[in-house]
Amino acid sequence: MTRYVVTGGAGFIGSMVVRALLDRGDGKVAVIDNFLTGREENLAEVRDRIEIHRADIRCFDEIAPLVKGADVVFHLAAIPSVPRSISDPVPSHETNIDGTFHVFRACAEGGVRRVFYAASSSAYGDSETLPKVETMPPRPKSPYAVQKLVGEYYASVFTECFHLDTVAVRYFNVYGPRQDPSSPYSGVISLFMKSLIERRAPTIYGDGEQSRDFTYVEDVAALTLKAAFSGVSGKVYNGGNGNRYTLNEVWETLQRIEGVRIPPVYGPPRPGDVRHSQADTTAAVRDLGHQPQFTLEEGLRRTLAWYRNSAGVRHS
Ligand code: UD1
């Protein structure tokens, strides 16, 4: 039987990839997670249909037996966050670079057929041109961006030198249900959701005119599977929607959906922050059949509904 392994499978994006794999119904799904940012409850209703392994990608010996012989490994485990990689760079480095190396090595030595690598739009940094095309030279602005870029290089080098089939997708600011809003390093939309539900002003770093290609998690999971099951090898694709919205626009939209007026508090710009980010999706559409389904407004509505119904966010 086909065996899939998802590193970081208890995380916000990883758990959606697990569900998408279960929906295919053609194989067994195993999750590797150290539960640093991942949570068992993210897998609650699918818990009985998967294997869950508590293991850390920083430890080769822990993960090697778990990936051995898998058909496809989805490598999503990472310590995310640009600011976290600046304030506490060592764990990010060890997980995102050393851990990623261990995953590729374990896959190559363990006879894994194919590896999907979750790369990041942060690789582009502040390159002038918009939208960002995969052929642009990377200009990482933070340790996190460097770390995720090194993973891309390792993916293509493992294809070149060790005959490991790999493909990478640069995720662009993913949001949606199960994104954890409880840390200052959380993704901005999860923090906006919490503020909105609690009727508190969000903090916007800088003037709020920075923009992002916010991408709904279900679209990202769908593209992840398309890339993994495509024939392309050793390549990197953008995983965004092809749009960009400023933080001010996102907060405006959320207030309109909710029918409230809560002016944001503006703070100083964040170190390492990229100004604008937007994916050119041409290659992903052409080679992978990328077809995002969710507009920002639809994605925000669904996400808001989820936060409203989930525990941990106080209802007003
Ligand atoms: C970056 C990457 C993204 C990656 C993510 C991992 C880019 C363009 N994107 O996201 O691909 O997946 O890291 O963590 O590099 N902000 C506020 N108030 C808040 C929190 C954030 O104004 O309370 C602002 C930030 O300053 C930033 C924007 O919101 O301008 C988005 O921040 P965040 O959600 O943390 O993601 P990025 O750092 O853009």
Side-chain angles (χ1 to χ4, degrees), residues 168-188:
V169 171
R170 288 179 174 164
Y171 291 165
F172 278 67
N173 288 73
V174 186
Y175 72 97
R178 301 185 189 84
Q179 191 168 26
D180 181 2
S182 68
S183 139
Y185 302 125
S186 299
V188 68

Side-chain angles (χ1 to χ4, degrees), residues 80-83 120-123 144 171-174 184-189 191-192 203-205 210 212 214 247 270 273-274 276-277:
S81 174
V82 167
S120 167
S121 66
S122 56
Y144 175 77
Y171 291 165
F172 278 67
N173 288 73
V174 186
Y185 302 125
S186 299
V188 68
I189 289 190
L191 295 169
F192 277 8
T203 302
I204 291 184
Y205 300 123
Q210 65 268 48
R212 294 290 183 271
F214 289 109
L247 295 187
R270 211 169 68 174
D273 224 22
V274 166
H276 300 297
S277 178

Side-chain angles (χ1 to χ4, degrees), residues 79-258:
I79 294 188
S81 174
V82 167
R84 186 170 186 161
S85 76
I86 296 173
S87 61
D88 193 14
V90 175
S92 302
H93 179 98
E94 289 175 352
T95 301
N96 299 345
I97 295 187
D98 300 339
T100 291
F101 174 74
H102 294 323
V103 171
F104 286 131
R105 184 185 149 210
C107 290
E109 292 180 6
V112 170
R113 197 166 56 72
R114 189 162 163 86
V115 182
F116 170 91
Y117 172 66
S120 167
S121 66
S122 56
Y124 291 110
D126 277 329
S127 53
E128 294 292 306
T129 321
L130 288 170
K132 316 282 191 189
V133 187
E134 291 89 338
T135 48
M136 284 176 178
R139 283 173 59 180
K141 277 186 76 173
S142 64
Y144 175 77
V146 170
Q147 293 154 12
K148 295 303 285 185
L149 186 58
V150 169
E152 283 183 25
Y153 291 149
Y154 261 135
S156 77
V157 162
F158 266 81
T159 300
E160 282 285 319
C161 303
F162 303 107
H163 310 294
L164 181 67
D165 222 351
T166 67
V167 65
V169 171
R170 288 179 174 164
Y171 291 165
F172 278 67
N173 288 73
V174 186
Y175 72 97
R178 301 185 189 84
Q179 191 168 26
D180 181 2
S182 68
S183 139
Y185 302 125
S186 299
V188 68
I189 289 190
S190 70
L191 295 169
F192 277 8
M193 292 289 164
K194 194 165 187 293
S195 295
L196 189 67
I197 289 172
E198 294 176 355
R199 300 288 190 261
R200 282 186 299 99
T203 302
I204 291 184
Y205 300 123
D207 61 6
E209 288 302 300
Q210 65 268 48
S211 61
R212 294 290 183 271
D213 191 343
F214 289 109
T215 313
Y216 190 61
V217 65
E218 280 187 45
D219 280 334
V220 171
L223 178 62
T224 296
L225 266 59
K226 283 180 173 170
F229 296 111
S230 73
V232 288
S233 194
K235 290 188 74 176
V236 179
Y237 291 91
N238 284 339
N241 249 325
N243 300 312
R244 68 188 173 92
Y245 297 90
T246 67
L247 295 187
N248 289 329
E249 285 170 333
V250 173
W251 183 244
E252 273 301 318
T253 306
L254 283 174
Q255 290 177 96
R256 180 167 50 73
I257 291 173
E258 188 75 349

Side-chain angles (χ1 to χ4, degrees), residues 55-66 94 98-99 102-103 106:
D56 196 310
I57 61 168
R58 284 172 289 193
C59 182
F60 177 82
D61 293 338
E62 275 184 24
I63 57 163
L66 300 175
E94 289 175 352
D98 300 339
H102 294 323
V103 171

Side-chain angles (χ1 to χ4, degrees), residues 22-58:
L22 290 172
D23 286 346
R24 277 175 67 91
D26 65 349
K28 289 201 159 200
V29 181
V31 162
I32 295 177
D33 209 296
N34 68 353
F35 296 97
L36 182 70
T37 57
R39 301 163 79 164
E40 285 224 43
E41 68 211 52
N42 286 344
L43 294 165
E45 89 288 1
V46 296
R47 174 76 192 78
D48 296 341
R49 299 167 62 199
I50 59 177
E51 282 171 33
I52 299 181
H53 301 279
R54 183 180 289 268
D56 196 310
I57 61 168
R58 284 172 289 193

